[in-house]
Amino acid sequence: QVQLVESGGGSVAPGGSLRLSCATSIDTNTISSMAWFRQAPGKEREGVAVIYSQGDFSYGVAMYAASVKGRFTISGDSAKKMIFLEMENVQPEDAATYYCAADPKWYGPTWYNYDFAYWGQGTQVTVSS
């Protein structure tokens, strides 16, 4: 059973920072893409950031949605089998449930349009002063 387990969600004040983590039981040598998506109530799911690699996500290449570029950083630690999302200068529009996802394929620059093969249960981020 493939598992992705997110953690680190919570409440953050506008302008604050938060770090999300995703632990996986997947053999990362079989995965090309690991990503963070988010979905706010009443809105469609949105791709936030992706890191793609040929097995070692510690050195993967990252891509970001325009709405978070410069504020969020995705990274990976293949030894720990984890990926992270560092969120800085968090804004009210960043409030959502954040999902970790993984896929054996790399879909290219329009990765956010694809339904990844594996998903976590999500962790909620609220933004409130």
Side-chain angles (χ1 to χ4, degrees):
Q1 181 77 17
V2 171
Q3 284 192 318
L4 296 167
V5 180
E6 303 94 339
S7 61
S11 183
V12 59
S17 301
L18 203 62
R19 188 194 200 204
L20 305 183
S21 301
C22 173
T24 178
S25 62
I26 303 171
D27 177 358
T28 55
N29 289 312
T30 67
I31 296 295
S32 292
S33 310
M34 294 195 74
W36 289 96
F37 289 78
R38 68 186 181 188
Q39 188 166 21
K43 294 188 177 181
E44 292 189 355
R45 188 178 68 197
E46 174 189 18
V48 176
V50 66
I51 188 166
Y52 68 94
S53 172
Q54 291 300 316
D56 190 344
F57 284 90
S58 301
Y59 304 101
V61 177
M63 298 181 72
Y64 299 91
S67 58
V68 305
K69 195 170 185 179
R71 300 188 298 120
F72 291 9
T73 302
I74 187 171
S75 62
D77 186 330
S78 289
K80 295 181 178 179
K81 301 184 75 174
M82 297 184 73
I83 64 167
F84 308 96
L85 186 69
E86 299 277 359
M87 306 167 61
E88 297 181 348
N89 190 21
V90 177
Q91 299 301 309
E93 55 267 30
D94 295 320
T97 299
Y98 283 72
Y99 298 92
C100 177
D103 199 285
K105 299 180 183 178
W106 167 238
Y107 294 107
T110 58
W111 58 273
Y112 45 84
N113 286 332
Y114 292 87
D115 192 13
F116 277 40
Y118 309 113
W119 293 84
Q121 294 299 307
T123 186
Q124 189 168 4
V125 173
T126 58
V127 184
S128 174
S129 56

PDB file of all heavy atoms in Angstrom, residues 14-54:
ATOM      1  N   PRO A  14      -1.140  36.177   8.601  1.00  0.00           N
ATOM      2  CA  PRO A  14      -0.695  36.727   7.323  1.00  0.00           C
ATOM      3  C   PRO A  14       0.728  37.253   7.421  1.00  0.00           C
ATOM      4  O   PRO A  14       1.081  37.946   8.392  1.00  0.00           O
ATOM      5  CB  PRO A  14      -1.690  37.869   7.057  1.00  0.00           C
ATOM      6  CG  PRO A  14      -2.918  37.461   7.798  1.00  0.00           C
ATOM      7  CD  PRO A  14      -2.427  36.765   9.029  1.00  0.00           C
ATOM      8  N   GLY A  15       1.537  36.892   6.450  1.00  0.00           N
ATOM      9  CA  GLY A  15       2.942  37.261   6.468  1.00  0.00           C
ATOM     10  C   GLY A  15       3.829  36.280   7.196  1.00  0.00           C
ATOM     11  O   GLY A  15       5.058  36.402   7.159  1.00  0.00           O
ATOM     12  N   GLY A  16       3.227  35.287   7.826  1.00  0.00           N
ATOM     13  CA  GLY A  16       3.991  34.297   8.571  1.00  0.00           C
ATOM     14  C   GLY A  16       4.518  33.172   7.705  1.00  0.00           C
ATOM     15  O   GLY A  16       4.379  33.186   6.478  1.00  0.00           O
ATOM     16  N   SER A  17       5.113  32.189   8.371  1.00  0.00           N
ATOM     17  CA  SER A  17       5.742  31.058   7.676  1.00  0.00           C
ATOM     18  C   SER A  17       5.228  29.746   8.224  1.00  0.00           C
ATOM     19  O   SER A  17       4.810  29.662   9.384  1.00  0.00           O
ATOM     20  CB  SER A  17       7.260  31.131   7.831  1.00  0.00           C
ATOM     21  OG  SER A  17       7.772  32.335   7.306  1.00  0.00           O
ATOM     22  N   LEU A  18       5.301  28.728   7.392  1.00  0.00           N
ATOM     23  CA  LEU A  18       4.854  27.392   7.779  1.00  0.00           C
ATOM     24  C   LEU A  18       5.637  26.391   6.948  1.00  0.00           C
ATOM     25  O   LEU A  18       5.985  26.681   5.787  1.00  0.00           O
ATOM     26  CB  LEU A  18       3.356  27.250   7.536  1.00  0.00           C
ATOM     27  CG  LEU A  18       2.563  26.200   8.328  1.00  0.00           C
ATOM     28  CD1 LEU A  18       2.619  26.512   9.825  1.00  0.00           C
ATOM     29  CD2 LEU A  18       1.120  26.184   7.855  1.00  0.00           C
ATOM     30  N   ARG A  19       5.904  25.246   7.512  1.00  0.00           N
ATOM     31  CA  ARG A  19       6.604  24.204   6.786  1.00  0.00           C
ATOM     32  C   ARG A  19       5.762  22.935   6.768  1.00  0.00           C
ATOM     33  O   ARG A  19       5.455  22.379   7.828  1.00  0.00           O
ATOM     34  CB  ARG A  19       7.946  23.896   7.419  1.00  0.00           C
ATOM     35  CG  ARG A  19       8.816  22.942   6.589  1.00  0.00           C
ATOM     36  CD  ARG A  19       9.967  22.398   7.383  1.00  0.00           C
ATOM     37  NE  ARG A  19      11.044  21.896   6.546  1.00  0.00           N
ATOM     38  CZ  ARG A  19      11.925  20.985   6.935  1.00  0.00           C
ATOM     39  NH1 ARG A  19      11.860  20.496   8.156  1.00  0.00           N
ATOM     40  NH2 ARG A  19      12.875  20.585   6.112  1.00  0.00           N
ATOM     41  N   LEU A  20       5.408  22.490   5.587  1.00  0.00           N
ATOM     42  CA  LEU A  20       4.683  21.242   5.425  1.00  0.00           C
ATOM     43  C   LEU A  20       5.663  20.127   5.087  1.00  0.00           C
ATOM     44  O   LEU A  20       6.645  20.346   4.383  1.00  0.00           O
ATOM     45  CB  LEU A  20       3.640  21.356   4.314  1.00  0.00           C
ATOM     46  CG  LEU A  20       2.632  22.497   4.432  1.00  0.00           C
ATOM     47  CD1 LEU A  20       1.640  22.409   3.290  1.00  0.00           C
ATOM     48  CD2 LEU A  20       1.946  22.501   5.765  1.00  0.00           C
ATOM     49  N   SER A  21       5.362  18.934   5.597  1.00  0.00           N
ATOM     50  CA  SER A  21       6.189  17.766   5.319  1.00  0.00           C
ATOM     51  C   SER A  21       5.330  16.649   4.753  1.00  0.00           C
ATOM     52  O   SER A  21       4.132  16.559   5.055  1.00  0.00           O
ATOM     53  CB  SER A  21       6.869  17.272   6.600  1.00  0.00           C
ATOM     54  OG  SER A  21       7.690  18.272   7.168  1.00  0.00           O
ATOM     55  N   CYS A  22       5.941  15.814   3.954  1.00  0.00           N
ATOM     56  CA  CYS A  22       5.246  14.654   3.380  1.00  0.00           C
ATOM     57  C   CYS A  22       6.193  13.473   3.466  1.00  0.00           C
ATOM     58  O   CYS A  22       7.272  13.486   2.858  1.00  0.00           O
ATOM     59  CB  CYS A  22       4.844  14.924   1.944  1.00  0.00           C
ATOM     60  SG  CYS A  22       4.158  13.486   1.088  1.00  0.00           S
ATOM     61  N   ALA A  23       5.790  12.466   4.197  1.00  0.00           N
ATOM     62  CA  ALA A  23       6.570  11.233   4.300  1.00  0.00           C
ATOM     63  C   ALA A  23       5.950  10.187   3.391  1.00  0.00           C
ATOM     64  O   ALA A  23       4.736  10.055   3.311  1.00  0.00           O
ATOM     65  CB  ALA A  23       6.574  10.744   5.746  1.00  0.00           C
ATOM     66  N   THR A  24       6.804   9.452   2.713  1.00  0.00           N
ATOM     67  CA  THR A  24       6.302   8.470   1.764  1.00  0.00           C
ATOM     68  C   THR A  24       6.915   7.100   1.970  1.00  0.00           C
ATOM     69  O   THR A  24       8.072   6.980   2.392  1.00  0.00           O
ATOM     70  CB  THR A  24       6.562   8.931   0.318  1.00  0.00           C
ATOM     71  OG1 THR A  24       6.100   7.909  -0.580  1.00  0.00           O
ATOM     72  CG2 THR A  24       8.047   9.145   0.053  1.00  0.00           C
ATOM     73  N   SER A  25       6.132   6.085   1.686  1.00  0.00           N
ATOM     74  CA  SER A  25       6.628   4.717   1.735  1.00  0.00           C
ATOM     75  C   SER A  25       7.006   4.230   0.339  1.00  0.00           C
ATOM     76  O   SER A  25       7.425   3.092   0.157  1.00  0.00           O
ATOM     77  CB  SER A  25       5.559   3.785   2.320  1.00  0.00           C
ATOM     78  OG  SER A  25       4.405   3.777   1.483  1.00  0.00           O
ATOM     79  N   ILE A  26       6.879   5.104  -0.641  1.00  0.00           N
ATOM     80  CA  ILE A  26       7.163   4.738  -2.028  1.00  0.00           C
ATOM     81  C   ILE A  26       8.662   4.569  -2.220  1.00  0.00           C
ATOM     82  O   ILE A  26       9.467   5.315  -1.645  1.00  0.00           O
ATOM     83  CB  ILE A  26       6.657   5.833  -2.985  1.00  0.00           C
ATOM     84  CG1 ILE A  26       5.156   6.092  -2.783  1.00  0.00           C
ATOM     85  CG2 ILE A  26       6.926   5.457  -4.434  1.00  0.00           C
ATOM     86  CD1 ILE A  26       4.654   7.294  -3.546  1.00  0.00           C
ATOM     87  N   ASP A  27       9.040   3.613  -3.016  1.00  0.00           N
ATOM     88  CA  ASP A  27      10.418   3.511  -3.472  1.00  0.00           C
ATOM     89  C   ASP A  27      10.644   4.685  -4.427  1.00  0.00           C
ATOM     90  O   ASP A  27      10.131   4.689  -5.553  1.00  0.00           O
ATOM     91  CB  ASP A  27      10.643   2.191  -4.188  1.00  0.00           C
ATOM     92  CG  ASP A  27      12.050   2.057  -4.745  1.00  0.00           C
ATOM     93  OD1 ASP A  27      12.855   2.999  -4.619  1.00  0.00           O
ATOM     94  OD2 ASP A  27      12.345   0.998  -5.326  1.00  0.00           O
ATOM     95  N   THR A  28      11.373   5.685  -3.984  1.00  0.00           N
ATOM     96  CA  THR A  28      11.505   6.902  -4.783  1.00  0.00           C
ATOM     97  C   THR A  28      12.237   6.665  -6.100  1.00  0.00           C
ATOM     98  O   THR A  28      12.200   7.512  -6.983  1.00  0.00           O
ATOM     99  CB  THR A  28      12.199   8.010  -3.986  1.00  0.00           C
ATOM    100  OG1 THR A  28      13.456   7.534  -3.504  1.00  0.00           O
ATOM    101  CG2 THR A  28      11.347   8.446  -2.803  1.00  0.00           C
ATOM    102  N   ASN A  29      12.876   5.515  -6.252  1.00  0.00           N
ATOM    103  CA  ASN A  29      13.496   5.209  -7.538  1.00  0.00           C
ATOM    104  C   ASN A  29      12.440   4.938  -8.607  1.00  0.00           C
ATOM    105  O   ASN A  29      12.758   4.906  -9.795  1.00  0.00           O
ATOM    106  CB  ASN A  29      14.418   3.999  -7.408  1.00  0.00           C
ATOM    107  CG  ASN A  29      15.656   4.316  -6.616  1.00  0.00           C
ATOM    108  OD1 ASN A  29      16.313   5.325  -6.862  1.00  0.00           O
ATOM    109  ND2 ASN A  29      15.978   3.472  -5.644  1.00  0.00           N
ATOM    110  N   THR A  30      11.202   4.707  -8.192  1.00  0.00           N
ATOM    111  CA  THR A  30      10.127   4.446  -9.141  1.00  0.00           C
ATOM    112  C   THR A  30       9.288   5.689  -9.421  1.00  0.00           C
ATOM    113  O   THR A  30       8.327   5.634 -10.178  1.00  0.00           O
ATOM    114  CB  THR A  30       9.187   3.343  -8.623  1.00  0.00           C
ATOM    115  OG1 THR A  30       8.489   3.822  -7.469  1.00  0.00           O
ATOM    116  CG2 THR A  30       9.973   2.089  -8.256  1.00  0.00           C
ATOM    117  N   ILE A  31       9.651   6.801  -8.808  1.00  0.00           N
ATOM    118  CA  ILE A  31       8.864   8.028  -8.888  1.00  0.00           C
ATOM    119  C   ILE A  31       9.661   9.101  -9.607  1.00  0.00           C
ATOM    120  O   ILE A  31      10.842   9.300  -9.328  1.00  0.00           O
ATOM    121  CB  ILE A  31       8.470   8.517  -7.483  1.00  0.00           C
ATOM    122  CG1 ILE A  31       7.563   7.484  -6.816  1.00  0.00           C
ATOM    123  CG2 ILE A  31       7.808   9.884  -7.519  1.00  0.00           C
ATOM    124  CD1 ILE A  31       6.231   7.290  -7.499  1.00  0.00           C
ATOM    125  N   SER A  32       8.994   9.811 -10.525  1.00  0.00           N
ATOM    126  CA  SER A  32       9.652  10.919 -11.214  1.00  0.00           C
ATOM    127  C   SER A  32       9.185  12.283 -10.718  1.00  0.00           C
ATOM    128  O   SER A  32       9.893  13.266 -10.841  1.00  0.00           O
ATOM    129  CB  SER A  32       9.413  10.827 -12.720  1.00  0.00           C
ATOM    130  OG  SER A  32      10.077   9.709 -13.271  1.00  0.00           O
ATOM    131  N   SER A  33       7.971  12.339 -10.191  1.00  0.00           N
ATOM    132  CA  SER A  33       7.403  13.622  -9.774  1.00  0.00           C
ATOM    133  C   SER A  33       6.822  13.508  -8.376  1.00  0.00           C
ATOM    134  O   SER A  33       6.100  12.564  -8.075  1.00  0.00           O
ATOM    135  CB  SER A  33       6.265  14.047 -10.709  1.00  0.00           C
ATOM    136  OG  SER A  33       6.635  13.966 -12.055  1.00  0.00           O
ATOM    137  N   MET A  34       7.129  14.500  -7.560  1.00  0.00           N
ATOM    138  CA  MET A  34       6.447  14.643  -6.273  1.00  0.00           C
ATOM    139  C   MET A  34       6.013  16.092  -6.164  1.00  0.00           C
ATOM    140  O   MET A  34       6.780  16.997  -6.501  1.00  0.00           O
ATOM    141  CB  MET A  34       7.339  14.230  -5.103  1.00  0.00           C
ATOM    142  CG  MET A  34       7.675  12.752  -5.114  1.00  0.00           C
ATOM    143  SD  MET A  34       8.363  12.160  -3.549  1.00  0.00           S
ATOM    144  CE  MET A  34       6.894  12.125  -2.509  1.00  0.00           C
ATOM    145  N   ALA A  35       4.793  16.296  -5.700  1.00  0.00           N
ATOM    146  CA  ALA A  35       4.220  17.633  -5.797  1.00  0.00           C
ATOM    147  C   ALA A  35       3.339  17.960  -4.600  1.00  0.00           C
ATOM    148  O   ALA A  35       2.942  17.080  -3.835  1.00  0.00           O
ATOM    149  CB  ALA A  35       3.386  17.750  -7.073  1.00  0.00           C
ATOM    150  N   TRP A  36       3.078  19.234  -4.486  1.00  0.00           N
ATOM    151  CA  TRP A  36       2.082  19.734  -3.556  1.00  0.00           C
ATOM    152  C   TRP A  36       0.955  20.376  -4.363  1.00  0.00           C
ATOM    153  O   TRP A  36       1.198  21.195  -5.253  1.00  0.00           O
ATOM    154  CB  TRP A  36       2.676  20.777  -2.617  1.00  0.00           C
ATOM    155  CG  TRP A  36       3.620  20.204  -1.615  1.00  0.00           C
ATOM    156  CD1 TRP A  36       4.983  20.133  -1.702  1.00  0.00           C
ATOM    157  CD2 TRP A  36       3.269  19.613  -0.351  1.00  0.00           C
ATOM    158  NE1 TRP A  36       5.501  19.537  -0.586  1.00  0.00           N
ATOM    159  CE2 TRP A  36       4.472  19.200   0.264  1.00  0.00           C
ATOM    160  CE3 TRP A  36       2.066  19.397   0.317  1.00  0.00           C
ATOM    161  CZ2 TRP A  36       4.500  18.591   1.515  1.00  0.00           C
ATOM    162  CZ3 TRP A  36       2.093  18.783   1.551  1.00  0.00           C
ATOM    163  CH2 TRP A  36       3.296  18.391   2.139  1.00  0.00           C
ATOM    164  N   PHE A  37      -0.254  19.974  -4.039  1.00  0.00           N
ATOM    165  CA  PHE A  37      -1.462  20.601  -4.575  1.00  0.00           C
ATOM    166  C   PHE A  37      -2.224  21.197  -3.399  1.00  0.00           C
ATOM    167  O   PHE A  37      -1.974  20.860  -2.239  1.00  0.00           O
ATOM    168  CB  PHE A  37      -2.355  19.562  -5.273  1.00  0.00           C
ATOM    169  CG  PHE A  37      -1.806  19.043  -6.575  1.00  0.00           C
ATOM    170  CD1 PHE A  37      -0.800  18.082  -6.597  1.00  0.00           C
ATOM    171  CD2 PHE A  37      -2.305  19.505  -7.780  1.00  0.00           C
ATOM    172  CE1 PHE A  37      -0.303  17.595  -7.805  1.00  0.00           C
ATOM    173  CE2 PHE A  37      -1.819  19.023  -8.994  1.00  0.00           C
ATOM    174  CZ  PHE A  37      -0.821  18.066  -8.996  1.00  0.00           C
ATOM    175  N   ARG A  38      -3.178  22.061  -3.689  1.00  0.00           N
ATOM    176  CA  ARG A  38      -4.022  22.590  -2.634  1.00  0.00           C
ATOM    177  C   ARG A  38      -5.435  22.770  -3.161  1.00  0.00           C
ATOM    178  O   ARG A  38      -5.645  22.927  -4.365  1.00  0.00           O
ATOM    179  CB  ARG A  38      -3.474  23.901  -2.082  1.00  0.00           C
ATOM    180  CG  ARG A  38      -3.515  25.073  -3.053  1.00  0.00           C
ATOM    181  CD  ARG A  38      -2.816  26.282  -2.453  1.00  0.00           C
ATOM    182  NE  ARG A  38      -2.846  27.435  -3.343  1.00  0.00           N
ATOM    183  CZ  ARG A  38      -2.183  28.561  -3.114  1.00  0.00           C
ATOM    184  NH1 ARG A  38      -1.430  28.691  -2.008  1.00  0.00           N
ATOM    185  NH2 ARG A  38      -2.270  29.569  -3.970  1.00  0.00           N
ATOM    186  N   GLN A  39      -6.372  22.749  -2.251  1.00  0.00           N
ATOM    187  CA  GLN A  39      -7.756  22.983  -2.618  1.00  0.00           C
ATOM    188  C   GLN A  39      -8.442  23.741  -1.496  1.00  0.00           C
ATOM    189  O   GLN A  39      -8.482  23.289  -0.355  1.00  0.00           O
ATOM    190  CB  GLN A  39      -8.493  21.677  -2.903  1.00  0.00           C
ATOM    191  CG  GLN A  39      -9.880  21.898  -3.485  1.00  0.00           C
ATOM    192  CD  GLN A  39     -10.480  20.638  -4.070  1.00  0.00           C
ATOM    193  OE1 GLN A  39     -10.085  19.529  -3.737  1.00  0.00           O
ATOM    194  NE2 GLN A  39     -11.448  20.811  -4.953  1.00  0.00           N
ATOM    195  N   ALA A  40      -8.958  24.889  -1.839  1.00  0.00           N
ATOM    196  CA  ALA A  40      -9.720  25.698  -0.903  1.00  0.00           C
ATOM    197  C   ALA A  40     -11.201  25.383  -1.076  1.00  0.00           C
ATOM    198  O   ALA A  40     -11.630  24.945  -2.154  1.00  0.00           O
ATOM    199  CB  ALA A  40      -9.453  27.177  -1.149  1.00  0.00           C
ATOM    200  N   PRO A  41     -12.007  25.595  -0.062  1.00  0.00           N
ATOM    201  CA  PRO A  41     -13.443  25.323  -0.163  1.00  0.00           C
ATOM    202  C   PRO A  41     -14.068  26.065  -1.338  1.00  0.00           C
ATOM    203  O   PRO A  41     -13.851  27.264  -1.503  1.00  0.00           O
ATOM    204  CB  PRO A  41     -13.982  25.827   1.179  1.00  0.00           C
ATOM    205  CG  PRO A  41     -12.837  25.718   2.117  1.00  0.00           C
ATOM    206  CD  PRO A  41     -11.625  26.033   1.295  1.00  0.00           C
ATOM    207  N   GLY A  42     -14.808  25.334  -2.156  1.00  0.00           N
ATOM    208  CA  GLY A  42     -15.487  25.940  -3.285  1.00  0.00           C
ATOM    209  C   GLY A  42     -14.614  26.225  -4.476  1.00  0.00           C
ATOM    210  O   GLY A  42     -15.074  26.804  -5.467  1.00  0.00           O
ATOM    211  N   LYS A  43     -13.350  25.830  -4.399  1.00  0.00           N
ATOM    212  CA  LYS A  43     -12.430  26.081  -5.502  1.00  0.00           C
ATOM    213  C   LYS A  43     -11.876  24.778  -6.056  1.00  0.00           C
ATOM    214  O   LYS A  43     -11.907  23.744  -5.388  1.00  0.00           O
ATOM    215  CB  LYS A  43     -11.285  26.985  -5.045  1.00  0.00           C
ATOM    216  CG  LYS A  43     -11.732  28.393  -4.673  1.00  0.00           C
ATOM    217  CD  LYS A  43     -10.535  29.284  -4.421  1.00  0.00           C
ATOM    218  CE  LYS A  43     -10.974  30.715  -4.124  1.00  0.00           C
ATOM    219  NZ  LYS A  43      -9.798  31.608  -3.893  1.00  0.00           N
ATOM    220  N   GLU A  44     -11.371  24.853  -7.266  1.00  0.00           N
ATOM    221  CA  GLU A  44     -10.760  23.675  -7.869  1.00  0.00           C
ATOM    222  C   GLU A  44      -9.379  23.427  -7.266  1.00  0.00           C
ATOM    223  O   GLU A  44      -8.727  24.343  -6.756  1.00  0.00           O
ATOM    224  CB  GLU A  44     -10.639  23.870  -9.382  1.00  0.00           C
ATOM    225  CG  GLU A  44     -11.985  23.891 -10.091  1.00  0.00           C
ATOM    226  CD  GLU A  44     -11.832  23.858 -11.602  1.00  0.00           C
ATOM    227  OE1 GLU A  44     -10.682  23.923 -12.078  1.00  0.00           O
ATOM    228  OE2 GLU A  44     -12.856  23.781 -12.283  1.00  0.00           O
ATOM    229  N   ARG A  45      -8.955  22.200  -7.372  1.00  0.00           N
ATOM    230  CA  ARG A  45      -7.609  21.851  -6.917  1.00  0.00           C
ATOM    231  C   ARG A  45      -6.566  22.584  -7.764  1.00  0.00           C
ATOM    232  O   ARG A  45      -6.715  22.717  -8.971  1.00  0.00           O
ATOM    233  CB  ARG A  45      -7.413  20.338  -7.028  1.00  0.00           C
ATOM    234  CG  ARG A  45      -6.133  19.822  -6.427  1.00  0.00           C
ATOM    235  CD  ARG A  45      -6.088  18.318  -6.562  1.00  0.00           C
ATOM    236  NE  ARG A  45      -5.959  17.922  -7.961  1.00  0.00           N
ATOM    237  CZ  ARG A  45      -6.213  16.684  -8.401  1.00  0.00           C
ATOM    238  NH1 ARG A  45      -6.622  15.762  -7.571  1.00  0.00           N
ATOM    239  NH2 ARG A  45      -6.072  16.406  -9.689  1.00  0.00           N
ATOM    240  N   GLU A  46      -5.530  23.024  -7.117  1.00  0.00           N
ATOM    241  CA  GLU A  46      -4.490  23.828  -7.771  1.00  0.00           C
ATOM    242  C   GLU A  46      -3.123  23.218  -7.507  1.00  0.00           C
ATOM    243  O   GLU A  46      -2.796  22.881  -6.361  1.00  0.00           O
ATOM    244  CB  GLU A  46      -4.533  25.255  -7.212  1.00  0.00           C
ATOM    245  CG  GLU A  46      -3.428  26.164  -7.686  1.00  0.00           C
ATOM    246  CD  GLU A  46      -3.397  27.493  -6.948  1.00  0.00           C
ATOM    247  OE1 GLU A  46      -3.985  27.592  -5.858  1.00  0.00           O
ATOM    248  OE2 GLU A  46      -2.775  28.434  -7.469  1.00  0.00           O
ATOM    249  N   GLY A  47      -2.336  23.098  -8.544  1.00  0.00           N
ATOM    250  CA  GLY A  47      -0.968  22.655  -8.368  1.00  0.00           C
ATOM    251  C   GLY A  47      -0.131  23.769  -7.789  1.00  0.00           C
ATOM    252  O   GLY A  47      -0.162  24.887  -8.302  1.00  0.00           O
ATOM    253  N   VAL A  48       0.585  23.523  -6.732  1.00  0.00           N
ATOM    254  CA  VAL A  48       1.374  24.542  -6.045  1.00  0.00           C
ATOM    255  C   VAL A  48       2.840  24.470  -6.435  1.00  0.00           C
ATOM    256  O   VAL A  48       3.440  25.467  -6.841  1.00  0.00           O
ATOM    257  CB  VAL A  48       1.234  24.386  -4.518  1.00  0.00           C
ATOM    258  CG1 VAL A  48       2.129  25.383  -3.791  1.00  0.00           C
ATOM    259  CG2 VAL A  48      -0.214  24.552  -4.089  1.00  0.00           C
ATOM    260  N   ALA A  49       3.416  23.285  -6.322  1.00  0.00           N
ATOM    261  CA  ALA A  49       4.834  23.119  -6.628  1.00  0.00           C
ATOM    262  C   ALA A  49       5.111  21.658  -6.906  1.00  0.00           C
ATOM    263  O   ALA A  49       4.436  20.776  -6.376  1.00  0.00           O
ATOM    264  CB  ALA A  49       5.707  23.601  -5.467  1.00  0.00           C
ATOM    265  N   VAL A  50       6.088  21.420  -7.740  1.00  0.00           N
ATOM    266  CA  VAL A  50       6.485  20.057  -8.080  1.00  0.00           C
ATOM    267  C   VAL A  50       8.002  19.968  -8.092  1.00  0.00           C
ATOM    268  O   VAL A  50       8.694  20.944  -8.374  1.00  0.00           O
ATOM    269  CB  VAL A  50       5.911  19.640  -9.452  1.00  0.00           C
ATOM    270  CG1 VAL A  50       6.535  20.470 -10.566  1.00  0.00           C
ATOM    271  CG2 VAL A  50       6.086  18.159  -9.713  1.00  0.00           C
ATOM    272  N   ILE A  51       8.478  18.797  -7.736  1.00  0.00           N
ATOM    273  CA  ILE A  51       9.898  18.523  -7.864  1.00  0.00           C
ATOM    274  C   ILE A  51      10.040  17.238  -8.654  1.00  0.00           C
ATOM    275  O   ILE A  51       9.357  16.249  -8.374  1.00  0.00           O
ATOM    276  CB  ILE A  51      10.580  18.448  -6.474  1.00  0.00           C
ATOM    277  CG1 ILE A  51      12.083  18.358  -6.603  1.00  0.00           C
ATOM    278  CG2 ILE A  51      10.025  17.320  -5.622  1.00  0.00           C
ATOM    279  CD1 ILE A  51      12.815  18.615  -5.290  1.00  0.00           C
ATOM    280  N   TYR A  52      10.834  17.274  -9.687  1.00  0.00           N
ATOM    281  CA  TYR A  52      10.994  16.068 -10.476  1.00  0.00           C
ATOM    282  C   TYR A  52      12.442  15.623 -10.499  1.00  0.00           C
ATOM    283  O   TYR A  52      13.372  16.426 -10.431  1.00  0.00           O
ATOM    284  CB  TYR A  52      10.410  16.226 -11.881  1.00  0.00           C
ATOM    285  CG  TYR A  52      11.128  17.185 -12.797  1.00  0.00           C
ATOM    286  CD1 TYR A  52      12.102  16.742 -13.680  1.00  0.00           C
ATOM    287  CD2 TYR A  52      10.807  18.542 -12.819  1.00  0.00           C
ATOM    288  CE1 TYR A  52      12.732  17.619 -14.536  1.00  0.00           C
ATOM    289  CE2 TYR A  52      11.427  19.413 -13.678  1.00  0.00           C
ATOM    290  CZ  TYR A  52      12.392  18.944 -14.540  1.00  0.00           C
ATOM    291  OH  TYR A  52      13.019  19.819 -15.389  1.00  0.00           O
ATOM    292  N   SER A  53      12.606  14.308 -10.568  1.00  0.00           N
ATOM    293  CA  SER A  53      13.928  13.738 -10.425  1.00  0.00           C
ATOM    294  C   SER A  53      13.942  12.345 -11.008  1.00  0.00           C
ATOM    295  O   SER A  53      12.901  11.715 -11.182  1.00  0.00           O
ATOM    296  CB  SER A  53      14.309  13.696  -8.943  1.00  0.00           C
ATOM    297  OG  SER A  53      15.505  12.972  -8.760  1.00  0.00           O
ATOM    298  N   GLN A  54      15.125  11.865 -11.302  1.00  0.00           N
ATOM    299  CA  GLN A  54      15.291  10.479 -11.738  1.00  0.00           C
ATOM    300  C   GLN A  54      15.648   9.587 -10.560  1.00  0.00           C
ATOM    301  O   GLN A  54      16.402   8.639 -10.703  1.00  0.00           O
ATOM    302  CB  GLN A  54      16.391  10.410 -12.814  1.00  0.00           C
ATOM    303  CG  GLN A  54      16.003  11.066 -14.117  1.00  0.00           C
ATOM    304  CD  GLN A  54      14.780  10.431 -14.734  1.00  0.00           C
ATOM    305  OE1 GLN A  54      14.634   9.222 -14.787  1.00  0.00           O
ATOM    306  NE2 GLN A  54      13.857  11.270 -15.192  1.00  0.00           N
TER     307      GLN A  54
END
